[in-house]
């Protein structure tokens, strides 16, 4: 609990709030990502962070919570520099490879940790009645937060599978693009070497 409250909580909350800008970036074409996929991922993380982990101190001490923070952070450390590179049309092949490879171990870890934390939170919410609105009330509306979490748990499983499938297709495209860029790079350096050889031959003839 101490490591989360003292070292992680404030920074993580600020970062997650800022991440909502990604939806606007995707919608306006600033980043070349799916708006729907980005929206689902951002909102899903917000639900897990603000209404599950941040609201239940018991979950903050678990290894699952720690692994989730590591998985989320490790993905973003590579994703954002890659977006910057893409905006300025720069070429960093190693960064591109890492961006579309690092998710292979990290996404499953993150999805399983999210699902397990939500699963644990369901019983806690059912017992405490947190964020639950029962009838009768002035609004005449009922809301059971534990039922909402059950639905969200199902969405994590199905959405996670869809997300990994989407990332798999994106990786295939990226690797093909990377191979073409590598070929172009090899051709460029070969032509550069040929030019150097020609210049040397011309200089020898001149002598």
């Amino acid at each position: 609990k101490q490591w989360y409250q003292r070292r992680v909580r404030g920074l993580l909350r600020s970062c997650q709030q800022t991440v909502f800008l990604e939806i606007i970036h995707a919608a306006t074409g600033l980043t070349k990502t799916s708006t729907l996929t980005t929206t689902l991922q951002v909102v899903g993380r917000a639900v897990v962070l603000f209404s599950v982990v941040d609201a239940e101190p018991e979950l903050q001490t678990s290894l699952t919570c720690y692994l989730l923070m590591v998985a989320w952070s490790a993905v973003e450390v590579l994703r954002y520099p890659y977006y910057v590179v893409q905006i300025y049309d720069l070429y960093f092949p190693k960064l591109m490879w890492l961006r579309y490879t690092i998710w292979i171990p990290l996404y499953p870890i993150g999805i399983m940790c999210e699902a397990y934390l939500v699963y644990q939170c369901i019983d806690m919410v059912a017992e405490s009645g947190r964020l639950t609105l029962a009838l009768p009330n002035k609004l005449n509306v009922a809301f059971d937060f534990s039922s909402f979490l059950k639905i969200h748990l199902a969405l994590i499983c199905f959405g996670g599978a869809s997300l990994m499938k989407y990332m798999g297709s994106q990786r295939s495209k990226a690797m093909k693009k990377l191979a073409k860029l590598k070929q172009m790079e090899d051709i460029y350096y070969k032509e550069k070497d040929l030019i150097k050889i020609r210049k040397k031959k011309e200089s020898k003839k001149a002598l």
Side-chain angles (χ1 to χ4, degrees):
K1 183 179 178 180
Q2 288 184 348
W3 73 268
Y4 180 84
Q5 294 285 353
R6 294 180 181 178
R7 301 181 183 181
V8 179
R9 187 171 185 262
L11 180 61
L12 197 61
R13 285 168 63 92
S14 299
C15 290
Q16 184 57 45
Q17 289 165 357
T18 307
V19 163
F20 278 95
L21 292 172
E22 285 194 27
I23 300 172
I24 299 172
H25 296 162
T28 56
L30 185 61
T31 55
K32 298 175 182 178
T33 55
S34 168
T35 305
L36 178 61
T37 302
T38 302
T39 302
L40 292 174
Q41 191 172 7
V42 170
V43 173
R45 277 193 183 185
V47 170
V48 173
L49 177 61
F50 294 118
S51 65
V52 176
V53 175
D54 208 46
E56 297 291 347
E58 290 180 32
L59 298 178
Q60 297 166 12
T61 59
S62 67
L63 177 61
T64 307
C65 179
Y66 179 78
L67 289 174
L68 179 62
M69 302 301 111
V70 171
W72 279 359
S73 302
V75 168
E76 306 308 342
V77 163
L78 292 170
R79 191 162 66 94
Y80 285 112
Y82 175 75
Y83 283 160
V84 172
V85 167
Q86 287 293 296
I87 290 170
Y88 291 101
D89 292 323
L90 301 175
Y91 175 56
F92 287 91
K94 290 182 180 179
L95 180 61
M96 187 176 184
W97 184 86
L98 283 170
R99 162 69 180 104
Y100 288 102
T101 304
I102 199 69
W103 67 268
I104 296 174
L106 293 179
Y107 271 30
I109 292 172
I111 291 166
M112 286 188 290
C113 289
E114 285 183 30
Y116 186 65
L117 288 170
V118 171
Y119 173 77
Q120 285 186 309
C121 189
I122 290 171
D123 289 336
M124 296 178 182
V125 169
E127 186 177 340
S128 66
R130 180 171 60 86
L131 297 178
T132 297
L133 187 62
L135 291 171
N137 56 66
K138 292 181 180 180
L139 298 174
N140 200 29
V141 174
F143 177 74
D144 184 13
F145 189 56
S146 63
S147 297
F148 170 81
L149 287 179
K150 290 175 183 177
I151 295 170
H152 187 67
L153 178 58
L155 290 175
I156 289 174
C157 298
F158 289 109
S162 298
L163 179 62
M164 286 193 287
K165 184 179 179 181
Y166 170 76
M167 287 300 297
S169 65
Q170 290 297 105
R171 186 179 190 277
S172 298
K173 292 177 184 178
M175 292 303 104
K176 288 178 182 179
K177 182 179 179 181
L178 193 60
K180 288 181 181 179
L181 291 172
K182 180 63 178 174
Q183 288 178 351
M184 292 172 66
E185 186 181 33
D186 291 341
I187 292 169
Y188 168 78
Y189 283 114
K190 284 180 181 179
E191 289 180 350
K192 197 174 181 180
D193 290 339
L194 287 171
I195 291 169
K196 287 182 180 179
I197 292 168
R198 286 174 185 172
K199 285 183 178 180
K200 285 181 179 180
K201 287 182 178 179
E202 288 174 0
S203 62
K204 286 180 180 180
K205 287 180 180 179
L207 293 172

